[in-house]
Amino acid sequence: MATIHQQVYNSVDFANVETSEYIALSVENLFKAYDSNIKLNLDIQSCNLHMDKAIPMGLVLNELGLNAITHAFNGGKGNFYVKFTYEDGIYALDVWDDGVGLPESVDIHKSTTLWFTVIKSIMNQLDGEWSVLDLPKGFGISMKVRDKIYNSLFFYTIFLLFLSNIGYFLTKLRIKKNNT
C-alpha cells in the first residue's frame, strides 16, 4: 500500500500506476524487509494499471512473496520470479519460486488456509482467472485479469460528479434567469 501511495503521490495520474516501477518496488521492498537470501527475477512489461486492479494484484503478489520468504526455502537461498504482461486487454501475472513447493497432501482448490483464501477472494473480486503453474520444483500461480473497470464505487463516483455538475448548471441557469 505504501508503494502505491508513494507512486500516486509523485504522479500526475491519480487513477493508474506504472507497472514496472510499482511491481518492482513492491517486491524489492518486501524482500528487503525480511532480509532474505532469495534472488529476485523480474520480467515486467511497462503499462498503466488502474488502481482498482493494482491494489488487489499487489496484495496477491505480497501474499505469494511472503509465503516464499517464510516457507519455500527454509531460510536458505533460492529464486523468486515475477512476470507481468499486458496483451489484448488481458493483464497476466505469473509468480513462482524454486523452493520446496507444496506438500502433495495440499489440494489448493480446497485449502482453507488464510493466504489461499485471500488469493481466491481477490481473484473473485477482480473477476479474474487463476491457476497453479506446473513446475518441476517450487510453487507458483498464474493470474489473468481482463482490462475493464469492475468497481461499482467508481461508477457511483462518476454518477455523483455528473449530478453535481447538473446541479451547478441548474443553479447558474436560475441565477441568470433571476438577473434578467
Side-chain angles (χ1 to χ4, degrees):
M1 294 299 288
T3 303
I4 282 186
H5 183 266
Q6 176 186 353
Q7 197 172 8
V8 168
Y9 185 76
N10 294 328
S11 171
V12 293
D13 182 0
F14 295 118
N16 297 290
V17 294
E18 198 281 318
T19 54
S20 61
E21 182 180 353
Y22 166 62
I23 293 171
L25 284 173
S26 296
V27 174
E28 289 166 359
N29 289 340
L30 175 66
F31 281 76
K32 281 180 189 173
Y34 283 87
D35 195 28
S36 73
N37 292 320
I38 302 167
K39 182 181 177 206
L40 300 177
N41 300 276
L42 308 176
D43 180 7
I44 306 164
Q45 179 183 344
S46 181
C47 69
N48 285 326
L49 183 62
H50 195 273
M51 296 296 262
D52 285 348
K53 290 178 182 50
I55 292 171
M57 288 178 91
L59 289 172
V60 169
L61 187 58
N62 187 72
E63 284 294 321
L64 293 170
L66 192 54
N67 186 63
I69 292 168
T70 310
H71 303 291
F73 305 104
N74 299 320
K77 293 183 178 184
N79 292 289
F80 185 78
Y81 302 88
V82 177
K83 181 176 182 180
F84 179 86
T85 58
Y86 177 74
E87 188 175 336
D88 297 330
I90 303 286
Y91 297 106
L93 179 64
D94 294 344
V95 181
W96 71 98
D97 62 64
D98 61 1
V100 297
L102 291 178
E104 288 194 25
S105 61
V106 174
D107 181 350
I108 190 168
H109 298 286
K110 294 180 182 175
S111 178
T112 58
T113 61
L114 179 60
W115 74 280
F116 279 140
T117 304
V118 167
I119 290 170
K120 289 186 250 184
S121 174
I122 289 172
M123 291 311 295
N124 285 336
Q125 174 189 350
L126 289 169
D127 193 26
E129 301 170 3
W130 65 276
S131 61
V132 176
L133 293 171
D134 186 16
L135 303 168
K137 182 179 177 188
F139 175 75
I141 289 183
S142 178
M143 299 174 285
K144 295 189 181 355
V145 178
R146 285 177 258 337
D147 185 11
K148 65 177 182 174
I149 297 173
Y150 67 94
N151 189 339
S152 60
L153 181 60
F154 174 81
F155 290 110
Y156 180 71
T157 303
I158 297 298
F159 180 69
L160 288 178
L161 287 171
F162 175 73
L163 289 179
S164 68
N165 284 334
I166 288 177
Y168 175 77
F169 178 71
L170 292 174
T171 303
K172 285 288 204 185
L173 282 176
R174 224 182 342 253
I175 291 171
K176 187 175 182 178
K177 182 179 177 185
N178 289 340
N179 287 339
T180 56

